[in-house]
Amino acid sequence: MSISYDQDNIFAKILRGELPCDKVLETDHSLAFRDIAPLAPDHVLVIPKGAYICFEHFSKEASVEEMADFVHSVGEVVRLMGIDPGSGGGGYRLISNAGMDGGQEVPHFHVHVVGGRRLGPILAATNA
Ligand code: 5GP
């Protein structure tokens, strides 16, 4: 069984201009905007404009142009935020949640770019 893309998800509405966003970057194939509930001083979401649910879906069906644009956009966001350790920034973390186990809330592929503070271990220690 495959899951189909939900045209009414929040990021689809942002892409259609039905909901506002605090835009950081826009290219032909990608959009980056600040997370509405930031978990760190710098927290930006980068999304492709195409209807992809998660990383695996994007990797399977996106064009080479969309993929190149997306990867470049993530790097550009890091540069715009001034958090690239190679340029004297403090560093950052990229996160992409998928599905229930991954804790994905919005079913449109996105990468979180998070930085601006010490982020601690990669996963919170829980007894789950
Ligand atoms: P996920 O859990 O799917 O990886 O992350 C979804 C993210 O989208 C969350 O960090 C959440 O704060 C953010 N988010 C949810 N609704 C909105 C919205 O309407 N605008 C913005 N900018 N971010 C949103």
Side-chain angles (χ1 to χ4, degrees):
M1 185 192 80
S2 66
I3 299 170
S4 60
Y5 180 81
D6 172 12
Q7 296 289 347
D8 286 330
N9 78 74
I10 290 165
F11 295 170
K13 290 180 180 176
I14 288 175
L15 283 168
R16 289 196 296 267
E18 296 166 9
L19 287 176
C21 73
D22 186 357
K23 191 193 300 185
V24 172
L25 176 77
E26 181 166 12
T27 66
D28 287 350
H29 297 292
S30 308
L31 180 67
F33 51 89
R34 296 195 178 280
D35 196 292
I36 204 167
L39 298 171
D42 298 308
H43 188 171
V44 170
L45 302 169
V46 188
I47 69 174
K49 291 183 175 177
Y52 303 106
I53 300 170
C54 64
F55 176 83
E56 183 278 333
H57 189 207
F58 183 70
S59 78
K60 191 168 67 180
E61 296 193 5
S63 67
V64 169
E65 287 77 14
E66 289 175 295
M67 291 187 200
D69 182 291
F70 187 79
V71 171
H72 185 265
S73 294
V74 173
E76 189 61 18
V77 165
V78 167
R79 287 184 284 278
L80 288 170
M81 293 160 79
I83 54 177
D84 175 29
S87 303
Y92 58 93
R93 182 173 294 161
L94 306 181
I95 302 165
S96 188
N97 299 317
M100 267 202 312
D101 284 358
Q104 183 177 11
E105 288 173 28
V106 181
H108 181 110
F109 171 51
H110 52 282
V111 165
H112 299 250
V113 183
V114 188
R117 68 167 172 82
R118 296 288 169 93
L119 296 169
I122 188 168
L123 291 175
T126 68
N127 57 6

